[in-house]
Amino acid sequence: MMSQCYRSTTPCCHLRVFYAPRRCRVTRVCCASSPQAPPRRPLVIATRGSRLAQEQTRQVQQLLLAAAQLSDESLALSTLAIDTAGDTSPSASLRSLGSGAFTQALDQAVLEGRADMAVHSLKDCPATLADGLVLAACLPRADPRDVLVANEAKSLGDLVPGSRVGTSSTRRAAQIRHAFPYLQVVQLRGNVEARLERIKSGEISATVLSLAGLQRLGCEHVASQVLSVDEMVPAACQGAVGVICREDDPWVIRLLSSISHRSTFLEVSAERACLSALLGSEEAGQAGQPFPDVAWGCNAKHDSDKATMALDCFVSDLEGQELLRYTEYDRSVVDSKDAEALGSLYGNFLRMVAGGLGWLQV
C-alpha cells in the first residue's frame, strides 16, 4: 500500500412516454412471465426530462426487463419526468442552488410514493441520501474523465493567454485556474448543444465536459482532448448512474440489486464516503444545503481481480491558488465497508486540511 500527498500554491412534473428501442412506441412495457409468477404492481421510474437522463433511464429499463425475464417475473414499467430546481433555473450558478439541485425533486417523488425509484447521475446526488432512501443499484461505470472541447486548441496548454474557458463546475474551474492561471474561467451553464453553440459562435474559446455524458449522447467526436485524471481529477461518482428507491421496499431493492455492477458500486461507495467526510454528513452533505467555499474532486478505481482500490482526491480554494491532493494505491477493498472506510479516511484528511487553512469550519 502506498500513498502520496501533493500540495501546491414546487417542482413541476409530467408523465412521459417511454420509447423502447427498435420497437413500437409504448407507455408501459411488460415482459412475458410463466403462469407461476404472479403479476406485481406496475413500477414508476422518476427521471429528469433531459435527453441524457432519458437515455440513462432507458438503459435501466432494459436491464430491469431482462433481469425480470430471466427470473420469470412479470414486470410493467413507466416513467415520470420531473423538472428539478436545476432544470428550471438555467441562469443560476450551481453553487447558489445548493446540493441536490438535480435530484431532490425526484427523490421526493419516490418518498411520496408517486414513483418507485429514481435514476440519477450520481455526481449530482448529495453525499447523504434523504432518510428512507437507499442506493440500490449502479450501472457499469462509463469513463469518468473530462474532455476539452475547443475550436482550435488541442489541449488547455494550447489556449492563448486570456482565452475564455466556460464551465459551471467549481472543481474544473479551480483546477484550470491552478494549472493555467493565465486563462479566464467564466460561468457557463446549459445542455451540451447550447455549450457547443457558444464555442462555435466565438463567445468562449473552450469548455470542459464529462466524457461519459458525451458518449451517452453519441457526440464524443466533438472532444479536442481527453484529459487524464492527473490533469483533471473527476467529480465524485462522475460517469456513474445509480438508482435509488425506498428502503422499506424489499421487492424493488431485490430487482435493482440484480442489475447492479459490483465494481462501480464499490467505487461510488468510496467516493461518496470521501465526499460525506469532507463536507460533513450533517451539513453540506444533505440535499438543499449550500455548498462550502471549496472545490473538490475524488476518483476511485477498483481492481476486481486483485480486490484492491486506488483513490485520488483533492481540495482547494475556489480560485485554485492552493490545492492539496492525496493519492492512494492498491488498498485492499473486498466489500462496501472497506470502500467506505477508505473514502472516509481521505475525506477526513481533506476536511482537516481545509479547516486548518480556513476554508471550512470544522
Side-chain angles (χ1 to χ4, degrees):
M1 179 186 69
M2 299 179 289
S3 64
Q4 295 180 5
C5 168
Y6 306 89
R7 182 177 181 181
S8 51
T9 78
T10 303
C12 64
C13 61
H14 48 284
L15 192 64
R16 288 282 181 86
V17 172
F18 168 62
Y19 296 86
R22 300 181 297 280
R23 295 184 183 275
C24 59
R25 184 178 301 181
V26 292
T27 55
R28 185 162 290 163
V29 184
C30 299
C31 65
S33 65
S34 69
Q36 290 79 18
R40 298 272 193 165
R41 75 178 191 273
L43 297 178
V44 178
I45 306 175
T47 178
R48 293 170 58 205
S50 71
R51 179 184 166 196
L52 179 58
Q54 293 292 311
E55 172 58 25
Q56 292 171 170
T57 301
R58 183 188 66 81
Q59 294 175 18
V60 171
Q61 288 180 306
Q62 287 183 324
L63 288 170
L64 284 173
L65 290 172
Q69 203 162 33
L70 286 173
S71 61
D72 209 22
E73 286 190 78
S74 177
L75 192 61
L77 302 174
S78 63
T79 62
L80 179 67
I82 298 176
D83 293 328
T84 68
D87 297 314
T88 57
S89 305
S91 60
S93 69
L94 296 181
R95 174 165 296 278
S96 68
L97 293 173
S99 181
F102 292 106
T103 62
Q104 190 173 13
L106 277 64
D107 291 350
Q108 191 61 35
V110 176
L111 287 171
E112 293 174 353
R114 293 184 288 123
D116 299 284
M117 63 188 80
V119 179
H120 294 316
S121 291
L122 286 178
K123 69 181 180 64
D124 295 330
C125 283
T128 304
L129 293 176
D131 290 341
L133 297 179
V134 63
L135 176 62
C138 292
L139 302 193
R141 192 173 196 171
D143 194 321
R145 294 176 295 174
D146 285 320
V147 299
L148 173 72
V149 181
N151 275 331
E152 299 178 0
K154 297 302 181 183
S155 69
L156 284 165
D158 288 343
L159 293 168
V160 300
S163 296
R164 291 163 56 87
V165 182
T167 179
S168 60
S169 164
T170 56
R171 170 188 61 86
R172 291 169 178 148
Q175 292 182 89
I176 293 170
R177 287 173 175 140
H178 180 76
F180 306 96
Y182 53 83
L183 298 178
Q184 184 181 0
V185 180
V186 298
Q187 176 74 14
L188 176 67
R189 285 199 57 197
N191 58 33
V192 171
E193 292 83 358
R195 298 186 193 199
L196 296 179
E197 185 58 36
R198 293 177 71 176
I199 294 176
K200 184 178 180 181
S201 68
E203 183 179 346
I204 59 174
S205 302
T207 188
V208 177
L209 300 171
S210 161
L211 175 57
L214 292 180
Q215 288 175 332
R216 290 192 178 106
L217 293 174
C219 53
E220 62 268 30
H221 61 277
V222 304
S224 304
Q225 180 197 24
V226 178
L227 302 172
S228 70
V229 174
D230 287 338
E231 294 175 284
M232 182 74 65
V233 179
C237 304
Q238 184 157 303
V241 174
V243 190
I244 63 98
C245 67
R246 291 181 295 276
E247 63 181 2
D248 62 354
D249 197 337
W251 176 51
V252 173
I253 291 175
R254 178 179 61 79
L255 282 175
L256 292 173
S257 296
S258 70
I259 68 169
S260 189
H261 187 258
R262 182 174 181 273
S263 284
T264 300
F265 195 91
L266 292 177
E267 289 170 3
V268 303
S269 295
E271 292 168 18
R272 287 174 60 78
C274 180
L275 185 58
S276 179
L278 168 62
L279 301 182
S281 60
E282 76 287 356
E283 298 171 357
Q286 298 281 1
Q289 296 299 309
F291 291 112
D293 291 332
V294 293
W296 65 85
C298 181
N299 179 248
K301 180 65 177 176
H302 182 251
D303 187 326
S304 58
D305 294 328
K306 297 179 180 179
T308 60
M309 181 174 287
L311 186 139
D312 199 354
C313 57
F314 86 93
V315 66
S316 81
D317 62 289
L318 294 179
E319 296 302 315
Q321 294 179 353
E322 193 162 14
L323 183 150
L324 185 109
R325 183 169 177 174
Y326 284 104
T327 304
E328 170 84 29
Y329 301 100
D330 298 329
R331 172 67 70 94
S332 176
V333 169
V334 298
D335 56 26
S336 59
K337 289 184 178 179
D338 289 342
E340 290 170 1
L342 176 61
S344 294
L345 174 66
Y346 282 93
N348 279 304
F349 284 167
L350 297 180
R351 183 173 177 84
M352 286 189 294
V353 170
L357 292 170
W359 300 341
L360 288 176
Q361 291 185 351
V362 295

